[in-house]
Each structure stands twice: as structure tokens, then as C-alpha cells.
Amino acid sequence: MKKKLVTFGISYCIVFLNVFMTIIFGPAEIFMGNYKDFGVIYSEFGWTFLIGGIIGSIVIAAIIALLPEVLRIIILSIGFGVGVACYIQGMFLNKGLDMLGATAEGYHAGKTEMIQNGVIWMMIIVIALALSFVLKKYRVKIAVFGSLFLIAIQMSGYISLFFTADKEAFQYAEGELCLSGEEQFTVSSNENIIVFILDNFSSEWLTEAKQEIPGLTDGLVDFTYYNNADCNSYSTYPSLVRLVTGHELNPTVSVDDYITECWNNEKTDDYYNLLHEHGYKVNVYTPELPIICGSKNLSLATGKLDNIAQESDSIQVNHKLLYKTLIKMSAYRYAPKCLKSRFNVGMNEYSEIVSYADNVIATSNPNFYNTLVENGLKVDDSSNYYQFIHLNGTHEFINDENCQYADGASRMQTIQGIFLMLNEYLDQLKAVNAYDNSTIIITTDHGVARNMQPIFFIKEKGQKHDSAQESNAPISLNEFVPTIVNALGEDYSEFGFSIYDFSENEVRERTVYERSQDDTYPAVKRYDGGNAGQNVYHVYTYRGNLYDFQYVYDNGIYDVIPMVDSYF
């Protein structure tokens, strides 16, 4: 009996090393550093993972303990090697690792990089396996004490999380503000300004899609497409809050200070006052509240946005998706580079973990499309509507050409599904007689790295074309708010230039800020106190079109502005 207990104890140490690292500590550490993105508290998963991990380890260890000795030694030796390799991977071999959700294609390591990383893993596992047979006398001590040592190191980190994390990671805030989705599919019978922000959609991707998919944009016949637009700043932060408020990026201040500036300045006040004076309800729909609020809350936008509501007791947590997302994120951290792409987590998964029965917002392309088809558009006669709708766009390729969820969807399928969704929305606008009196803008917050220029379509109220128009005027997203003010029929000079102030074939100097990392500059903290991966802005200045931008980008012609702190 004693021998069986010893055998079980040895098995348990090695099994628990792997389970604790990937199922208990890994998800907890990832969550504590990103709890605002999840929108839940630790108790929604933490104790389940802890208790389940302990019990699961007991069951697995008991099964292994019953196996024949040679087979048991082989399994435990490989298990110990994998545990050591996972620890080394997470601590030392992930330098330069792509942040989850940063690119639409997900993580893809180079062949040489994967081979080198794979060799390290094989060496660790082979050494662990060889030692168990060569050093028979010491194999138990090596495996058990090695496992206990690594568990102890990580256990200390696990325990410290409970003393260092913000209290908001453990308890839901009372009276927390959120964005209500009650009117997301409502339009006015009078006038509308409707803005679609299709995240991460580059103009070059659209050009390629139009060549491959005939008639892709035929439904936008009354729109003008600007094929030489500029995003001004790369990534959803700071681009989204800049689009919502019209306040240009100030790279010399902290994230929170910049976001506070965005909501509290005279021009932004005047902008929202004009919208409200013209009878508009101003509604913003986005899953990315930290991007427009930072570590503050929506009280920053009180009096400006009209769809601010209190979170109710009707919070609904998709526990299955929460568990799956955290396990995949943990596996992404610890897996060898050749397997990391299997554990990619799209940003859209965050947005669907939590919902509120009273305040549901559709933020993924398929969810928006399916809700639109199922429920249609409602018409309100009491006010005008400004609808700012931020969808995942091409940030992840999650939908097929029918705008339905699809694993392994291609970029072309995703884009085709997006235009099916847009055409359905426009058709429904026409069906409720709200199309002609609507100003509609279809754009994005940014493009993709060297293909950073965004798509930009616009249809003004009452505008009709026999065929779609296209312009190469050098506009930028800095002209977004002045163009909205122009659509109101007001003088927009206070807010800058509108897109109509730039003419066909004009050459204009423009500047793009790209968040980046430069090890020659001091590291900075994240705005929420975590460890940051970015510490500088690369500032590219160019004259001309996308190809002129790509020249300065490819040749590394940029100025550097150190960050005060970082969003990521």
C-alpha cells in the first residue's frame, strides 16, 4: 500500500506541475493583467479552475500510477520534460511574441524560428527521458524535486496575484456605467448620421477584394470612395477615441490624460452640443470601453453620449467561452512556437463573454448581420439619430461569405460577408424610407501595418449617383468630425478641415503615429499598471499616396516619441 501511495505521489507532483502552470496559474495571471477586457471577476472561473485542476490532477495521477512500470516511467519522464519546457517557453522563449488579437491572421512564426524553438523542446524532453533510464537511482528525486521547485516558484506568483491585483478583479462595481444597445437597430424617419467602423480594414485589402470578387461594392452606388485616406494613428487605441471625440492625438501625455483631454475640451463640447441642438440622439456601440475611457469610466462621456446606462443585475457570463478563451490564452503562452497558431484568440471572443440582457450590443459582423436579418430596423419619429457602430470588421477572419461564423475563414470570405451585411443594412434603410435622408460613412479605425491606409466611403443626405464615385483626394481621419459637422450644415472651421477641402490629385503632407517597441528607450508601464510591450511612437511623415507611405515605412524613415505609458 505504501509503495502505491509513493508511486501516486510521484505521479501527482509531475502531473500537477503541468496542470497548475496551464490551468490554474496561467489563466489567473493572464486574467489579472487584463481583467477589464474580460468584464468579469475572478470568481467566475478561478475557483472552478483551482478545484478542477486539483481533482483532475488526482484522477490523472491515479491512472498513471496503475500503469506498468516502464510505461509509467516513460509517461512521467516526458511529462516532466514538457513541464520544464513549458516553463522555459513562458519565461524565456516568448520574446517578441505577437500579442493575441493584434493581427487578423493570428500568430505565424517563421520556419527557422519554429525549428530552433522545436529543437530546444526536443532536447529538454529527450534529456528528461534519457536521465530517467541512465540515472535510475536519482530519477525520482530529479523529477519530484524539479517539479516541486517549479510549482513553488509559480505558487508564490499565484498567491501574490491576490494581494497585488485591483479589487475590481474580484468584485463587480456597483452602479457601473455601460453602453446600451437598446437602440442599435433603430433609425429616425427624419435624419440620420450612420457611421460603420469596420476594424482593421485596409484600403489595399479592399482593392484586392474588388479584383477577386466582381460586383463587391455595387450596392454602394450612391457613395464616393476615397482611395487615398490616411488613418493618422495606427491601432484601435488611440484611433477610436479620436474618431468619437475629434481630439487629435497628444503623444506626450499618459493614456488616461489623453482620453480625459478627448472628452473635456471646448471643441469636443461644441461638437456634441451641435449634434444635440440638431435633435440627434448620439449613440456609440463598441466592445472596447477601455479604448474610449481608459481606466476611467463612462462618466467622462456623460452629457455627450445618449446610450449610457447602468449595468444591471442582468449580467450574463458565457462561462464555456470564458473557460475556453482563458485556456487557449494560457496554452498560447506556454506552447512551442510551431503550435501557437492553434491557440490564437480573436478580439471578438472577449466581446461575447459578457452580455447584459438589458443592454446587448452586437459587435461582431455575424452577430450584427443575423440580428439585423431577424429583427429588422425600427423607426423612431421623435428624434434624429447619430449611430456610431464599431464592428470587428477584418480584425479577425471569423465569418464566411454569407456573414456566418466560420472557423478558418479567409480574408476574402470575411470581406465578402461584410459587404453582404452592409447591403442588407442599406436595403433595410430604403425599406423604411430612411436611406435618402441619411448621411452614411463606412470606414475603419486603421489599416494594417505598411498597408495602413483605411477604407473610406461616404454618402451625403439626399445624394444620388448613376454609378459609384471614386476620389484620390488626400484626406485623413482627422477630417472625420469636421465632415460630420459639415453634414449638419454648420460651419466646421473650428474643428479643422473637412474631406471636401482636398481636391483630386492634390499632394499633401500627412503624418501617421504607430505604437511600437524600441529597446533603446526606457520601458514604460501599461496605463492600467501592468507590464507594457510598447514604449514609443514611430512617427511617419509622407507626401503623396499609399506607395509614398510604404516607401518611408519600409525604409524605416520615422521620428521617435517616447511614451509616458502604454495602452498595451
Side-chain angles (χ1 to χ4, degrees):
M1 183 66 180
K2 182 179 178 181
K3 183 178 180 181
K4 290 181 179 179
L5 288 175
V6 170
T7 301
F8 169 78
I10 295 168
S11 302
Y12 187 80
C13 288
I14 296 170
V15 170
F16 190 64
L17 166 63
N18 288 276
V19 171
F20 180 77
M21 182 163 35
T22 58
I23 305 296
I24 299 173
F25 176 57
E29 187 178 36
I30 290 166
F31 172 80
M32 295 301 184
N34 303 276
Y35 70 90
K36 290 184 179 179
D37 294 320
F38 287 95
V40 298
I41 59 176
Y42 179 78
S43 61
E44 296 286 358
F45 75 93
W47 305 119
T48 303
F49 280 13
L50 177 61
I51 296 170
I54 292 172
I55 294 174
S57 298
I58 292 173
V59 173
I60 296 171
I63 293 172
I64 293 174
L66 296 174
L67 296 175
E69 183 179 10
V70 174
L71 180 58
R72 184 177 69 249
I73 291 171
I74 292 172
I75 291 174
L76 292 177
S77 299
I78 293 174
F80 177 62
V82 168
V84 172
C86 284
Y87 180 80
I88 292 173
Q89 182 72 49
M91 290 296 294
F92 307 109
L93 302 181
N94 281 338
K95 186 175 177 60
L97 181 65
D98 289 352
M99 184 171 57
L100 281 167
T103 61
E105 296 89 345
Y107 175 78
H108 292 285
K111 185 178 290 186
T112 301
E113 188 180 3
M114 285 194 291
I115 291 173
Q116 291 172 342
N117 185 250
V119 168
I120 294 173
W121 269 72
M122 289 303 299
M123 286 176 60
I124 294 171
I125 294 171
V126 168
I127 289 171
L129 193 58
L131 288 176
S132 67
F133 288 98
V134 174
L135 302 175
K136 294 181 181 180
K137 186 177 179 180
Y138 300 102
R139 66 187 174 198
V140 172
K141 290 182 179 180
I142 292 172
V144 171
F145 286 107
S147 296
L148 290 175
F149 176 71
L150 293 179
I151 290 171
I153 291 174
Q154 293 174 93
M155 183 66 77
S156 64
Y158 178 67
I159 293 171
S160 71
L161 292 174
F162 295 88
F163 296 97
T164 58
D166 295 337
K167 66 177 182 179
E168 289 84 359
F170 302 102
Q171 62 184 48
Y172 289 113
E174 294 183 7
E176 188 71 19
L177 299 177
C178 66
L179 294 173
S180 170
E182 183 180 357
E183 297 176 329
Q184 187 174 12
F185 295 92
T186 301
V187 294
S188 172
S189 59
N190 186 22
E191 290 185 4
N192 300 283
I193 298 173
I194 300 166
V195 178
F196 282 98
I197 303 295
L198 304 170
D199 208 303
N200 196 66
F201 201 154
S202 103
S203 63
E204 195 153 81
W205 282 6
L206 178 63
T207 299
E208 293 170 359
K210 288 170 69 175
Q211 292 171 350
E212 188 167 320
I213 308 168
L216 179 68
T217 60
D218 284 356
L220 307 184
V221 65
D222 296 320
F223 287 74
T224 299
Y225 177 61
Y226 286 82
N227 62 24
N228 187 16
D230 183 275
C231 66
N232 303 116
S233 53
Y234 177 59
S235 233
T236 307
Y237 174 85
S239 189
L240 194 70
V241 69
R242 183 171 50 81
L243 287 169
V244 171
T245 64
H247 190 62
E248 292 189 26
L249 174 63
N250 181 354
T252 65
V253 299
S254 69
V255 169
D256 276 343
D257 285 348
Y258 168 63
I259 289 176
T260 301
E261 280 183 11
C262 283
W263 290 107
N264 295 293
N265 67 84
E266 187 176 351
K267 286 183 181 179
T268 301
D269 290 344
D270 290 346
Y271 172 54
Y272 279 94
N273 286 339
L274 279 173
L275 285 165
H276 287 125
E277 286 169 7
H278 280 261
Y280 279 87
K281 278 190 175 181
V282 184
N283 297 329
V284 169
Y285 308 99
T286 176
E288 303 290 353
L289 275 188
I291 287 180
I292 63 173
C293 296
S295 61
K296 312 289 184 180
N297 61 42
L298 276 168
S299 60
L300 282 172
T302 301
K304 295 181 173 69
L305 303 186
D306 294 310
N307 65 322
I308 295 176
Q310 276 203 348
E311 291 181 355
S312 66
D313 293 332
S314 61
I315 183 171
Q316 298 176 338
V317 179
N318 185 337
H319 287 91
K320 183 178 179 181
L321 181 58
L322 174 63
Y323 300 158
K324 176 184 174 182
T325 300
L326 283 166
I327 294 299
K328 284 174 66 178
M329 293 177 77
S330 180
Y332 181 78
R333 170 184 287 184
Y334 293 115
K337 291 186 176 181
C338 61
L339 296 179
K340 287 189 185 297
S341 61
R342 295 176 180 268
F343 304 111
N344 185 58
V345 176
M347 297 298 284
N348 68 293
E349 292 188 45
Y350 289 112
S351 65
E352 296 181 1
I353 289 172
V354 173
S355 63
Y356 298 89
D358 301 331
N359 302 307
V360 176
I361 294 178
T363 56
S364 71
N365 308 328
N367 191 3
F368 186 88
Y369 175 72
N370 290 330
T371 305
L372 176 65
V373 170
E374 182 177 351
N375 300 328
L377 291 176
K378 298 177 183 177
V379 179
D380 182 1
D381 299 328
S382 64
S383 64
N384 299 329
Y385 275 78
Y386 177 102
Q387 302 283 56
F388 185 98
I389 303 166
H390 176 209
L391 302 177
N392 73 275
T394 53
H395 205 294
E396 297 93 27
F397 306 143
I398 61 170
N399 63 266
D400 61 19
E401 63 274 16
N402 297 313
C403 208
Q404 301 302 307
Y405 287 106
D407 290 332
S410 69
R411 185 207 308 169
M412 291 301 167
Q413 287 176 310
T414 298
I415 291 174
Q416 191 170 356
I418 286 172
F419 279 91
L420 175 70
M421 173 190 72
L422 293 172
N423 290 336
E424 176 66 24
Y425 192 91
L426 298 179
D427 287 343
Q428 291 208 26
L429 274 180
K430 294 171 184 176
V432 297
N433 296 316
Y435 176 81
D436 290 339
N437 288 334
S438 295
T439 296
I440 306 169
I441 295 176
I442 301 167
T443 186
T444 182
D445 48 351
H446 58 84
V448 186
R450 69 187 298 274
N451 301 324
M452 210 176 288
Q453 286 203 334
I455 63 167
F456 193 96
F457 294 87
I458 185 169
K459 181 199 82 73
E460 293 278 12
K461 178 180 64 176
Q463 194 166 34
K464 288 286 186 182
H465 296 154
D466 293 329
S467 60
Q469 308 294 300
E470 189 161 338
S471 172
N472 66 6
I475 68 167
S476 80
L477 294 185
N478 276 342
E479 285 84 67
F480 176 80
V481 163
T483 301
I484 297 294
V485 175
N486 179 67
L488 298 174
E490 294 283 352
D491 178 8
Y492 57 83
S493 58
E494 174 191 358
F495 305 96
F497 298 106
S498 84
I499 62 172
Y500 304 115
D501 291 321
F502 303 97
S503 58
E504 193 82 2
N505 300 319
E506 181 177 346
V507 177
R508 175 191 180 192
E509 184 173 276
R510 289 172 289 179
T511 299
V512 183
Y513 294 82
E514 179 186 32
R515 298 197 330 250
S516 191
Q517 181 173 356
D518 189 329
D519 292 337
T520 63
Y521 286 80
V524 298
K525 283 290 186 181
R526 261 176 29 177
Y527 78 99
D528 57 2
N531 293 321
Q534 299 167 329
N535 62 339
V536 297
Y537 286 99
H538 287 170
V539 186
Y540 298 91
T541 300
Y542 69 104
R543 292 173 59 84
N545 56 26
L546 173 63
Y547 303 110
D548 297 293
F549 169 74
Q550 289 177 337
Y551 176 82
V552 299
Y553 189 87
D554 292 343
N555 287 281
I557 303 172
Y558 55 78
D559 295 319
V560 177
I561 299 178
M563 290 180 177
V564 176
D565 60 6
S566 175
Y567 187 79
F568 285 127

